[in-house]
Amino acid sequence: MQELRLKASELLLREEWHDSVQVYTQFITLCRSHIEKHPPPLCNSPHLTKIQRSLCLGLSNRAEAHFRLRDPDKALRDCNQALEIEPTHYKSLLGKGRILFALNRYSAALLCFKSALLEDPQSNETLNGYIEKCKKLESLSRTGAFDLTDWVLNGFRGKTPELAEYVGAVKIKRSEELSGRGLFATKNMDAGTLVLVTRAIATERCILSNEEEDSAENAQLVMWKSFIDQVSDSAAKCTWIRRLISTLSPGDDEASLEIPETELFKRELTEECGESEPDLSSDDLLNILDVNSLVEDSVSAKVLGKNSDYYGVGLWVLASFINHSCIPNSRRLHVGDYVMVHLSKDVKAGEELTFSYFDVLLPLEKRKEMSQTWGFSCHCRRCRFEEGFWADKQELKEIEMMGLGKGKGMVDFGGVIFRIEEAMKRWNVRGREKGYLRASFWGVYEDGYASVKRWGRRIPASDVVVESVAEAVGSDERLLKVLMRDMTNKSGVLEIERAMKLGKGVYGKVVKKKSLRSLIGVEIQEQKVY
């Protein structure tokens, strides 16, 4: 036993985790066998025998090795068994606290760290650091009061901000308008409101160079295989992760899938998983990843603090319940391994939250082609309206060919905008539907407002069109860019308010006034406009 203990300790110090687990397992088995054959004379004695102390330490050290191998279930089980032998064992309390902290279970981790501090007040510097982090992150997980200001103002340099998982005023329901299940607002919320923050089950990233297309495709395939291996490993080792992944759709038979409660995704509220958890076959896992994985740098997302050539894919389970719509109301920020989902426009209670899986500032036929590559057909309000509207409007097709089908130098975009606006007047297109059509021809408007030739009052002002499109399809960086470009000659309070509202829809309220100003490049006066 002494020989095994020394060998296991040496392997642990050398960070040879797999071998360390194997040797500690032999040592623990021998300890238990010895205790079983030679039980202590007084089972309820407050004093532990030497062999019991050795067993307790062996379990605690094996827990450390399991934790380093990203096997939280086994690590927690070893810590709990060690604490059954000696409830005040410092190393086991510290180890259990660190495991719970890594699992985002801050309240439970806090209790462990406080108990460990009572046993060893000399370690107050290390433990107080953990205790303060637990308090801070537990508060964030309850309130969602995240603030990325300092990090943004520092140019995304330094350490990525510590985030906690957060679930706001949302719930999963059957989607009446779109397919399957979706995420819905449970109260009225305005643009920029944070609705959830969640950490990836796994991510994989690479830098895509400007090499040949085949090389980039091969790099993505290698990355995808590594990503699948990571998710598979995490699901095999953690029953809670396996439970979460099993709630996702494999892409068929949506009607038979259960509606999970959002409490399942609030890690703070979950208990340690039992042994009887759902099975997840490799085929099921591949189908789930194919349907639910998210690419970080997409049209509805912004990657903060990463190189623009950085290509990443990940699985963020709760965010995967958000369906596509061509009139999206949500966007996401990627910060480290976390995704922060916020509203890109105001929503009402009961409204479904949606992303744009592809560029929605395109005409109907282009969007249809894009949706087919994703394996679905969009039937949102905008698509249904345009499906019936474009059918008998030959002029729209002519305008599309004129404005979007030729080289930019050959088109008078101001004239095309004038024709679109006049046609909408004749057809009595108003309100939100006008925003839909402007969004479909956004490429024309964007180039038109950037061109040298001005049509003056014969075409609507850029801020009017931007506001109309944003109300229809939510905030977008391209809308913000046009608005900011045309604010050079007018930067009054009203214009600044418009820019800030649009900026909130793009970046969310986690980016406060100062940092939002630096991101959108507007000189904001001291008036209270945010």
Side-chain angles (χ1 to χ4, degrees), residues 1 5 24 27-28 31 35 40 45-61 82 85-86 88-89 91-92:
M1 287 171 61
R5 184 181 67 81
Y24 269 120
F27 173 73
I28 289 166
C31 284
I35 291 172
S45 170
H47 303 291
L48 296 175
T49 64
K50 183 178 179 180
I51 195 72
Q52 286 175 307
R53 286 195 175 92
S54 295
L55 175 58
C56 183
L57 184 60
L59 287 165
S60 182
N61 287 341
I85 298 169
E86 188 176 352
T88 59
H89 190 246
K91 189 169 185 179
S92 297

Side-chain angles (χ1 to χ4, degrees), residues 91-345:
K91 189 169 185 179
S92 297
L93 287 169
L94 177 61
K96 183 175 180 179
R98 290 172 56 225
I99 297 163
L100 292 170
F101 183 85
L103 292 173
N104 293 354
R105 293 179 58 189
Y106 306 115
S107 297
L110 183 60
L111 292 175
C112 291
F113 292 136
K114 285 183 174 180
S115 298
L117 186 59
L118 291 175
E119 295 307 311
D120 186 4
Q122 301 300 318
S123 302
N124 61 341
E125 185 175 345
T126 300
L127 289 169
N128 283 334
Y130 275 120
I131 288 170
E132 290 307 310
K133 282 184 179 181
C134 282
K135 289 179 179 178
K136 174 187 173 182
L137 296 177
E138 189 277 330
S139 175
L140 290 175
S141 71
R142 282 188 293 103
T143 64
F146 298 87
D147 187 352
L148 304 182
T149 299
D150 291 341
W151 187 52
V152 174
L153 290 176
N154 198 35
F156 306 111
R157 291 184 293 273
K159 189 179 179 181
T160 302
E162 282 192 300
L163 302 179
E165 293 196 303
Y166 165 74
V167 181
V170 295
K171 69 181 299 184
I172 301 168
K173 294 168 52 180
R174 296 280 178 204
S175 179
E176 299 291 335
E177 184 175 338
L178 306 174
S179 63
R181 304 164 299 173
L183 202 63
F184 290 76
T186 58
K187 68 177 184 180
N188 296 344
M189 294 178 281
D190 60 348
T193 298
L194 186 69
V195 293
L196 69 92
V197 180
T198 183
R199 187 170 62 181
I201 300 298
T203 58
E204 186 65 24
R205 304 181 179 97
C206 70
I207 299 292
L208 295 182
S209 62
N210 296 323
E211 298 175 1
E212 296 181 2
E213 186 176 336
D214 288 345
S215 298
E217 186 175 337
N218 288 336
Q220 290 183 37
L221 288 174
V222 171
M223 187 183 69
W224 177 251
K225 182 182 184 305
S226 177
F227 169 63
I228 292 172
D229 290 342
Q230 285 188 55
V231 177
S232 179
D233 185 60
S234 296
K237 290 177 176 176
C238 183
T239 50
W240 180 68
I241 287 177
R242 192 156 61 249
R243 183 195 297 176
L244 287 186
I245 295 175
S246 67
T247 66
L248 294 173
S249 168
D252 55 9
D253 199 18
E254 284 278 349
S256 67
L257 297 176
E258 296 181 359
I259 307 295
E261 296 292 334
T262 51
E263 281 68 22
L264 173 63
F265 304 90
K266 297 178 181 180
R267 192 65 173 111
E268 270 287 276
L269 303 180
T270 59
E271 298 295 331
E272 292 175 27
C273 299
E275 296 295 332
S276 57
E277 294 299 324
D279 291 328
L280 196 62
S281 70
S282 57
D283 287 342
D284 288 340
L285 182 61
L286 285 174
N287 290 333
I288 286 171
L289 292 180
D290 187 47
V291 173
N292 296 280
S293 300
L294 295 175
V295 175
E296 287 184 317
D297 192 12
S298 71
V299 71
S300 63
K302 185 73 176 175
V303 181
L304 296 185
K306 300 296 181 185
N307 187 288
S308 59
D309 293 327
Y310 212 78
Y311 181 85
V313 64
L315 180 64
W316 293 270
V317 177
L318 188 55
S320 297
F321 281 91
I322 300 178
N323 288 314
H324 165 84
S325 173
C326 292
I327 45 173
N329 54 27
S330 304
R331 290 180 60 85
R332 61 185 194 267
L333 298 178
H334 288 272
V335 180
D337 288 342
Y338 285 82
V339 67
M340 311 180 81
V341 178
H342 65 270
L343 301 179
S344 60
K345 59 182 179 180

